[in-house]
Amino acid sequence: MSRLIVSISLLTVMAAGCFWSVFVVNKRTDELSEMVSKTEKAYMSGDKEGCVAAAAELQKMWDDFVKLGILVNDLGHAVEITSSIAEIGSFAQEQDDELYAACDRAQAQIQLFKDMQTPTLWKIL
Amino acid sequence: MAVVLIRACILYIIITFSLRLMGKRQLGELQPSELVVTILISNIAAIPVEDSSVPMIMGIVPILTLVCLDVIVSQIMLKSTKFRKLMIGSPRVIISEGNIIQKEMRRLRYTIDDLTEAMREQQIFDITQVHYAIVETNGKVHFLLKKDFQPAGKQDVGAGGTTDDPPAVVIRDGIEDREQLKNLGLGHGWLTQQLREHDAAVGDVFLMTADKNGCTTIIKRQEGM
């Protein structure tokens, strides 16, 4: 009976952990996505300081999140996002139009990172 | 490389714990569901060890999930006969009263070579000696020989006898096993008396066995050991 209790407890903890991680990843990726959009908007409006500040904030948010991110997702995806966010930072500093492409790339990668965690039927199958 | 080493150590602990959780039955005869879990565990465990870009949790979660499900399914099988039949099937008789049930053998996709091989494994070389054969759910075949070919027992030769429990180890390497003594219905006082008779202390004994009748075997430690 103790085996059964241990098994049910473990399964419950793991299920809770898995769904909690989905919730956290969804929430944090949405925030990251929002910050990428904010950076892009600040660049479009010619607000250099705002753009640089948003890019720095984006970098900080990603650095905080990546510790959890690599626990639940493939390291390769995290590396891609890390490099895209680093590019956004430097393009924001230089006020380079390449920032648009970097933002789009980061958005797509963040979305993929989020999708990888969300258990949809087609993904399970 | 250090990552791989640490991961391998962690997985070793987790897999050992998992197999322990599945129970001793797992290490002996595997039922179909247990076989599936064992094969899957070995494959899943290899992924995070081989590829360090895959998070280790991706290996740990499925391993523990499979083991937990196996334990839960085993418990349900204990309670429900129908569920047990669904999961592991039921034993099938392939020889009854000395007659081979060919229909059942075909249903089990069991060839005559499989049958004779299983017989030979149990030192049976003549199919006419077999009265009854049953294929267990784990694929093993058990045979019951016809009365004329069964080995004679004590009862057959009128020797009688009792079915005594085998002796148990009560001192191993100088350490007293109180639980065994309790199981045998013997106390610490009895042990002390036995040791006094043999002029030995607990620490001097390498191995001591005893049975329920109080018969003992004492092997003292060799000098310098």
Side-chain angles (χ1 to χ4, degrees):
Chain A
M1 191 53 103
S2 62
R3 277 199 174 94
L4 183 66
I5 294 165
V6 170
S7 299
I8 292 172
S9 313
L10 263 175
L11 210 55
T12 310
V13 169
M14 283 190 299
C18 289
F19 285 101
W20 174 78
S21 80
V22 172
F23 170 74
V24 171
V25 167
N26 275 350
K27 188 169 172 281
R28 300 296 289 273
T29 48
D30 285 346
E31 286 168 6
L32 282 164
S33 210
E34 230 169 78
M35 192 51 74
V36 174
S37 301
K38 195 176 164 188
T39 311
E40 201 174 4
K41 275 179 193 156
Y43 180 77
M44 279 166 76
S45 62
D47 176 10
K48 187 187 172 186
E49 275 181 18
C51 179
V52 171
E57 180 63 22
L58 175 66
Q59 182 71 59
K60 192 177 168 295
M61 281 169 70
W62 174 248
D63 289 344
D64 289 342
F65 171 62
V66 78
K67 292 178 195 105
L68 170 77
I70 58 167
L71 271 183
V72 296
N73 218 328
D74 195 296
L75 187 65
H77 296 293
V79 170
E80 283 171 4
I81 299 174
T82 303
S83 82
S84 295
I85 287 176
E87 278 179 357
I88 291 173
S90 70
F91 290 140
Q93 285 280 358
E94 292 164 17
Q95 291 291 289
D96 192 325
D97 279 354
E98 285 288 328
L99 185 120
Y100 292 121
C103 283
D104 287 349
R105 197 160 48 244
Q107 289 280 27
Q109 288 163 346
I110 290 167
Q111 189 60 41
L112 180 68
F113 196 92
K114 179 184 171 181
D115 287 348
M116 294 283 288
Q117 287 300 304
T118 316
T120 56
L121 183 66
W122 67 266
K123 216 174 292 148
I124 292 167
L125 297 174
Chain B
M1 278 309 265
V3 173
V4 175
L5 181 82
I6 294 164
R7 279 183 168 207
C9 294
I10 294 170
L11 278 167
Y12 170 77
I13 294 165
I14 287 166
I15 293 170
T16 308
F17 165 76
S18 304
L19 292 178
R20 185 76 189 83
L21 189 66
M22 283 171 83
K24 286 191 171 62
R25 204 157 60 93
Q26 174 63 28
L27 304 173
E29 293 162 0
L30 299 173
Q31 295 293 351
S33 62
E34 293 164 342
L35 180 70
V36 169
V37 172
T38 312
I39 293 169
L40 281 175
I41 284 177
S42 61
N43 283 321
I44 293 167
I47 300 167
V49 174
E50 282 173 356
D51 185 355
S52 53
S53 70
V54 176
M56 205 159 122
I57 211 147
M58 295 271 196
I60 295 171
V61 168
I63 287 173
L64 289 179
T65 305
L66 286 170
V67 171
C68 291
L69 285 176
D70 186 67
V71 173
I72 293 166
V73 165
S74 305
Q75 285 290 332
I76 299 170
M77 283 198 288
L78 271 178
K79 303 275 177 198
S80 162
T81 320
K82 277 184 186 170
F83 187 69
R84 186 163 61 241
K85 269 192 175 176
L86 181 75
M87 291 301 286
I88 61 171
S90 52
R92 295 281 167 185
V93 176
I94 54 171
I95 298 179
S96 179
E97 293 177 0
N99 299 315
I100 300 175
I101 306 169
Q102 294 178 24
K103 194 178 161 192
E104 199 60 59
M105 282 186 65
R106 203 170 300 124
R107 216 175 73 82
L108 293 170
R109 296 192 302 281
Y110 213 79
T111 65
I112 199 73
D113 291 334
D114 295 331
L115 179 64
T116 51
E117 188 182 326
M119 280 168 52
R120 286 194 298 274
E121 275 174 13
Q122 295 184 37
Q123 306 294 316
I124 305 165
F125 292 89
D126 185 355
I127 200 160
T128 58
Q129 294 180 359
V130 179
H131 179 66
Y132 187 79
I134 187 162
V135 181
E136 305 293 353
T137 51
N138 57 14
K140 283 198 171 177
V141 192
H142 289 113
F143 297 94
L144 175 70
L145 294 177
K146 286 176 182 167
K147 281 261 189 239
D148 295 344
F149 301 101
Q150 285 177 12
K154 278 189 172 181
Q155 199 180 17
D156 296 317
V157 294
T162 55
T163 52
D164 289 335
D165 290 333
V169 177
V170 290
I171 298 177
R172 58 170 65 78
D173 214 0
I175 298 166
E176 182 185 331
D177 190 334
R178 290 187 180 211
E179 203 179 321
Q180 283 292 8
L181 275 172
K182 200 176 151 195
N183 291 341
L184 292 167
L186 304 167
H188 182 70
W190 172 87
L191 183 70
T192 315
Q193 191 193 333
Q194 290 294 318
L195 291 172
R196 200 178 299 131
E197 281 172 18
H198 287 84
D199 194 25
V202 173
D204 302 332
V205 178
F206 179 66
L207 173 71
M208 177 175 176
T209 62
D211 62 19
K212 281 188 175 169
N213 302 324
C215 293
T216 59
T217 304
I218 297 177
I219 300 170
K220 287 186 187 173
R221 274 180 202 274
Q222 289 172 347
E223 274 183 37
M225 294 295 287

